Amino acid sequence: MPTCWLNGTFCDESTASVSIFDRGLLFGDGVYEVATVVRGRLLDADLHLARLERSLAAIRCDNPLTIAQWLETMQALVNANALDEGLVYLQVTRGVAERDFAFPTSATPTHFAFARPKRLLQDPAAAGVSVHVVPDERWARCDIKSTAMLAQVLAKQSARSAGAFEAMMHEDGVVTEGGSSNLWIVQGGTLITRPLSHDILAGITRDVVLELAAGAGIPVLERTFTVHEARTADECLMTSASSFVLPVVTIDGAPVGDGAPGTVARTLREAYIERALRLTAP
Ligand code: PDD
């Protein structure tokens, strides 16, 4: 049985449980992170933990652990589960208290983490994925990595029902992001992605890909783009810690470009993997 981490101790997942009065359950009053593991080592965990601190500050919740404690815990979790390649999920909620919407006067943040294997380096999705266009029905602070994700659950279920891999969310025809990824297009060799704001999550992979694009001499424009532009782009891409860089080859069943992974997507995926292997080298 896999081992998880809950409120300061490692335990068997089958015995790990939280109170029905946890504010994470009652209100979605919590934040989370998903970090990548390659060759048994965490990738960019420091960047994920910095974003965790930003999310916690935004909801005015204390971080129950220091960054160093989180790093140690996450690596211990990877080791305990003998995880070679996959993901570590962690969550912090405002804790257990009598049900009242406003903050409790005293509550200890609930915190837990678990690890899961996932094929990342040889992901079959690298052959190209499909997206389904849906309205973005989320709140006004999508930069906070909140556990209140009902809108994304519904968006991704719509995508799945349509036979698509990911949702392409939009507001009035302007693309915001994927259900759990950042989205990009390529027009005439220029890589385009939406600028950071309260409207999207500041993806860690997005940041890394911006650097990799600069290193590869690919011109980048941070601007909004429309669903129509995505449909008529030369390429479309999605990025996230759980998928790295994936070519989006169809939008609602219609091919993007020639319907095959494009040069920019392939170049950036290769560069991302090369960096991941370098940073996790024994
Ligand atoms: N999701 N946008 C949204 C809405 C996301 O949920 C995610 C990540 C991203 C990409 O962020 P990053 O590059 O830091 O993974 C963008 C994670 C993987 C998840 O919820 O499983």
Side-chain angles (χ1 to χ4, degrees):
M1 184 55 64
T3 300
C4 67
W5 162 265
L6 174 61
N7 293 333
T9 48
F10 288 101
C11 58
D12 197 293
E13 280 183 9
S14 62
T15 59
S17 58
V18 295
S19 163
I20 59 165
F21 293 100
D22 195 282
R23 292 178 61 94
L25 270 176
L26 294 177
F27 301 116
D29 186 3
V31 296
Y32 78 106
E33 278 298 329
V34 179
T36 307
V37 175
V38 172
R39 297 203 288 206
R41 297 186 65 181
L42 290 156
L43 180 67
D44 296 325
D46 52 337
L47 303 179
H48 285 277
L49 291 169
R51 186 172 62 190
L52 175 72
E53 295 252 278
R54 294 200 298 277
S55 293
L56 286 168
I59 69 162
R60 288 178 279 151
C61 180
D62 291 336
N63 193 340
L65 299 184
T66 63
I67 301 288
Q69 285 171 327
W70 271 120
L71 285 172
E72 194 184 319
T73 303
M74 290 161 80
Q75 188 61 53
L77 192 60
V78 169
N79 299 346
N81 289 283
L83 185 69
D84 178 52
E85 194 171 306
L87 303 167
V88 170
Y89 174 101
L90 66 89
Q91 182 175 146
V92 179
T93 81
R94 205 179 304 278
V96 177
E98 194 52 44
R99 185 176 182 275
D100 180 9
F101 285 76
F103 298 172
T105 44
S106 75
T108 310
T110 299
H111 54 293
F112 63 86
F114 60 84
R116 280 291 176 275
K118 184 171 192 292
R119 245 176 119 187
L120 296 165
L121 299 171
Q122 305 287 335
D123 189 343
V129 298
S130 51
V131 297
H132 174 57
V133 177
V134 294
D136 190 338
E137 295 177 330
R138 296 175 300 164
W139 68 328
R141 286 302 306 272
C142 300
D143 57 313
I144 301 172
K145 202 157 172 58
S146 158
T147 58
M149 301 183 82
L150 198 46
Q152 280 112 305
V153 167
L154 296 174
K156 286 182 83 92
Q157 181 55 39
S158 286
R160 183 165 299 174
S161 301
F165 182 84
E166 173 62 303
M168 172 179 274
M169 300 193 289
H170 74 93
E171 270 173 5
D172 299 325
V174 178
V175 173
T176 49
E177 59 187 330
S180 59
S181 59
N182 291 112
L183 295 176
W184 313 64
I185 57 169
V186 179
Q187 268 182 355
T190 300
L191 186 61
I192 300 167
T193 199
R194 189 176 174 112
L196 296 184
S197 69
H198 286 178
D199 298 335
I200 63 167
L201 186 74
I204 303 302
T205 320
R206 177 189 180 282
D207 258 5
V208 171
V209 165
L210 285 173
E211 268 176 37
L212 295 174
I218 300 168
V220 177
L221 215 50
E222 289 185 69
R223 68 152 173 89
T224 55
F225 59 90
T226 63
V227 172
H228 176 73
E229 283 183 292
R231 290 189 200 279
T232 53
D234 302 324
E235 294 183 42
C236 183
L237 286 63
M238 57 174 275
T239 58
S240 73
S242 56
S243 66
F244 295 178
V245 179
L246 292 179
V248 173
V249 294
T250 61
I251 300 177
D252 285 337
V256 179
D258 61 6
T263 316
V264 174
R266 274 190 276 119
T267 303
L268 290 173
R269 183 172 176 86
E270 276 165 26
Y272 191 90
I273 289 176
E274 191 264 316
R275 173 183 176 275
L277 291 175
R278 184 163 32 85
L279 292 182
T280 57

